[in-house]
Amino acid sequence: MLAHPLHLQLLSKDEGNVSVLKHFKYRSIDGDLVGVVGHSWLLEAKHVPVTWHSTRGVNQDSYDEIKHALCRDVAALCSSKIATTSSYYYGKSIARAARLALIAEEVGFCDLISLVKKFLKETIQPWLDGTFKRNGFFYEKQWGGLITQDADYNEEVFGYYNNHISLLGYFVYGIAVLARIDPNWGNKYRSEAYSVMEDFMNLGGKDLKSKYTRLRCFDLFMLHSWDLGLQDCDDGRNQLSSGEAVNVYYSAALMGLAYNDANLVAIGSTLASLEIHAAKMWRHLKMDDKKCDDFTKENRLMEILWSSKRSSVYRFSKEIRLSLHFLPILPITEFLYSNVGFVKEVVEWTMPCLNKDGVEEIWKWLVCEMEGIYDNEAALKKIMELDLPSSHNSPISLSNLLWWLHSRRGHRDHHQDSCKFAINVGSVIVPVDSMLKT
């Protein structure tokens, strides 16, 4: 078989009796495809810990500051003030609130969790039991999946299964958090919760008579997901947001933790790890990267990853492009941006754009958040000089901004192990430890 650069990066040379034919190459848009001879491939990816809280802990000196922000953000929660009927933006509001519960839990401010729980019940439950009159999920038989009630009026988005994982990831995150902080609610709505998750994470074969297609969005050869669903496009499939792609599988793994489902945790963490590897390979453009010479001269982040082209035609400005790769800000985000040198390149590439007229504060917050990975004090100072995030309209909260920056400081780096999965020649990817079965 021919291996693309990410296969070669993860390929174990010690198992499977594999020979790499270094001089047997074909050029492709994804880099050189190199011949590999053997009965099977064993790929080893860095294990990504799936945790509810920061992997290194929050600096205790910052607890009071974070608690003050939590009081403000939680007090502003009001389900009736969510004016949008868009499932995507509604889901973002749910996930934003769910983050507040976990941050409060981490800094020992548990008195606020009941208020967040109330908000999550009021916003999630109607989508699961079909009482959200302005919109809602329903099962579409032709392609075997969930679409929204307003899909008929917005076919270019959710009705054609476009941007599927971006939308459902936010709902699954909120459901996982609510099931954690209210196990009784979680048990009551377990069936509905798993239905939302299985839309994109179904691994059952025909013998299980599943109502959902198998791994709807994840490409088992490229090792990442595609956003474009059934809609025809001259340039093939595409992926817009690498951050949201990581989030959807991370959120599924969290659901596994909430329901004590070790298999779901294993599958979700494996796919999240592969999304991270793929983003670093094809979306993060380092200055010395030779894969896309002309494109890399002017760019640090791939705007949209297409299956058949690399384009420098700007649909999004640099600061918005950064948000597509950085949001949502979660414990797993530090693994997506573990290369500190590259992070500095991205910040320096984006920073001049912030001086333009009309640049919204949210883009400035995100650049500061990324700067905090390598210069925490400077980032904190800049954040406090900016206008505070709006309580209702922003996809991120001040509490989450502070949590991220204060979990960067004064802690040693974490250790990453490897997780293994195999490719049988002519078959599909099979994680060894009973994750995917063919």
Side-chain angles (χ1 to χ4, degrees):
M1 286 186 70
L2 294 174
H4 60 55
L6 184 53
H7 291 151
L8 294 175
Q9 183 186 96
L10 304 180
L11 183 64
S12 172
K13 308 300 191 299
D14 301 324
E15 300 184 49
N17 193 26
V18 171
S19 297
V20 178
L21 309 180
K22 295 182 179 179
H23 301 293
F24 188 87
K25 299 180 180 179
Y26 290 89
R27 293 183 62 188
S28 87
I29 196 168
D30 300 309
D32 287 340
L33 301 178
V34 179
V36 176
V37 177
H39 294 294
S40 64
W41 301 355
L42 183 69
L43 305 182
E44 295 182 299
K46 287 183 178 180
H47 172 62
V48 177
V50 175
T51 60
W52 297 101
H53 305 137
S54 58
T55 56
R56 295 178 290 181
V58 175
N59 190 308
Q60 292 190 4
D61 294 339
S62 67
Y63 276 19
D64 288 343
E65 183 181 14
I66 294 174
K67 288 178 179 179
H68 182 74
L70 282 168
C71 286
R72 170 188 177 271
D73 290 331
V74 172
L77 293 178
C78 181
S79 58
S80 63
K81 290 185 178 180
I82 303 180
T84 182
T85 59
S86 162
S87 48
Y88 177 68
Y89 292 105
Y90 201 101
K92 279 191 171 185
S93 297
I94 290 171
R96 178 185 182 277
R99 287 291 306 135
L100 300 178
L102 295 181
I103 295 169
E105 190 176 65
E106 185 167 2
V107 300
F109 202 8
C110 296
D111 292 345
L112 295 181
I113 294 178
S114 61
L115 297 174
V116 180
K117 180 171 68 175
K118 178 178 180 294
F119 176 85
L120 292 178
K121 283 185 177 181
E122 292 173 350
T123 52
I124 295 173
Q125 200 165 302
W127 288 83
L128 300 186
D129 60 21
T131 60
F132 186 66
K133 296 180 180 179
R134 295 177 292 166
N135 201 350
F137 295 125
F138 70 90
Y139 183 75
E140 189 273 320
K141 294 182 179 179
Q142 182 177 1
W143 298 99
L146 296 181
I147 63 174
T148 55
Q149 185 176 324
D150 67 353
D152 290 338
Y153 306 102
N154 196 14
E155 289 186 338
E156 291 187 357
V157 187
F158 206 64
Y160 281 148
Y161 291 91
N162 295 347
N163 303 317
H164 215 69
I165 55 174
S166 298
L167 183 157
L168 293 179
Y170 290 113
F171 275 90
V172 172
Y173 185 84
I175 291 169
V177 172
L178 183 52
R180 170 183 170 82
I181 63 179
D182 189 343
N184 291 331
W185 182 93
N187 290 332
K188 180 179 179 180
Y189 283 92
R190 179 178 178 129
S191 176
E192 291 87 347
Y194 267 67
S195 288
V196 176
M197 176 273 297
E198 288 174 355
D199 176 83
F200 59 88
M201 279 280 287
N202 171 44
L203 295 172
K206 293 181 179 179
D207 55 320
L208 298 180
K209 298 180 181 179
S210 174
K211 294 182 179 180
Y212 296 102
T213 189
R214 192 167 186 262
L215 283 182
R216 183 180 305 279
C217 303
F218 195 84
D219 187 324
L220 289 165
F221 183 78
M222 294 306 298
L223 306 182
H224 66 76
S225 299
W226 298 107
D227 289 329
L228 199 65
L230 304 175
Q231 185 180 4
D232 289 333
C233 185
D234 292 340
D235 299 308
R237 295 172 292 180
N238 66 47
Q239 185 192 70
L240 183 61
S241 172
S242 59
E244 290 179 337
V246 172
N247 170 60
V248 72
Y249 300 113
Y250 166 71
S251 298
L254 288 182
M255 183 181 286
L257 288 179
Y259 285 109
N260 197 28
D261 185 339
N263 192 51
L264 180 54
V265 175
I267 297 166
S269 62
T270 297
L271 296 181
S273 177
L274 293 176
E275 286 284 0
I276 289 172
H277 278 287
K280 290 180 176 180
M281 174 63 67
W282 287 298
R283 311 299 298 272
H284 296 181
L285 305 174
K286 295 174 281 295
M287 293 182 70
D288 59 352
D289 200 329
K290 302 300 181 184
K291 289 194 298 296
C292 312
D293 287 340
D294 292 337
F295 192 86
T296 306
K297 289 177 184 178
E298 304 294 334
N299 297 275
R300 298 281 73 79
L301 293 169
M302 181 70 67
E303 181 177 24
I304 301 175
L305 181 66
W306 294 88
S307 59
S308 63
K309 76 173 182 179
R310 301 292 183 265
S311 172
S312 60
V313 177
Y314 297 127
R315 176 180 172 186
F316 301 106
S317 58
K318 292 180 181 180
E319 65 274 12
I320 297 178
R321 201 183 313 182
L322 182 144
S323 74
L324 294 174
H325 294 283
F326 197 48
L327 289 175
I329 301 174
L330 303 161
I332 201 171
T333 304
E334 67 176 270
F335 297 95
L336 182 57
Y337 290 97
S338 59
N339 186 333
V340 176
F342 170 71
V343 170
K344 190 172 183 180
E345 288 182 18
V346 173
V347 172
E348 293 175 349
W349 173 72
T350 313
M351 194 70 77
C353 299
L354 305 184
N355 297 322
K356 297 184 300 184
D357 292 337
V359 174
E360 296 181 43
E361 293 288 90
I362 181 175
W363 314 129
K364 298 178 182 179
W365 305 329
L366 292 177
V367 174
C368 292
E369 292 292 281
M370 189 171 277
E371 184 181 16
I373 294 174
Y374 64 89
D375 191 345
N376 196 270
E377 296 299 328
L380 275 167
K381 183 178 179 181
K382 291 175 184 176
I383 281 287
M384 301 316 296
E385 292 173 351
L386 297 172
D387 293 336
L388 296 178
S390 167
S391 300
H392 305 295
N393 299 322
S394 173
I396 50 178
S397 64
L398 178 62
S399 301
N400 205 27
L401 294 175
L402 294 174
W403 165 84
W404 170 262
L405 291 176
H406 288 301
S407 63
R408 308 296 94 213
R409 297 198 297 163
H411 302 286
R412 61 184 177 83
D413 290 338
H414 46 265
H415 174 70
Q416 285 183 278
D417 299 317
S418 294
C419 57
K420 299 180 180 181
F421 42 98
I423 295 181
N424 290 326
V425 175
S427 185
V428 298
I429 302 173
V430 186
V432 172
D433 48 351
S434 71
M435 296 181 193
L436 300 177
K437 301 187 189 308
T438 56

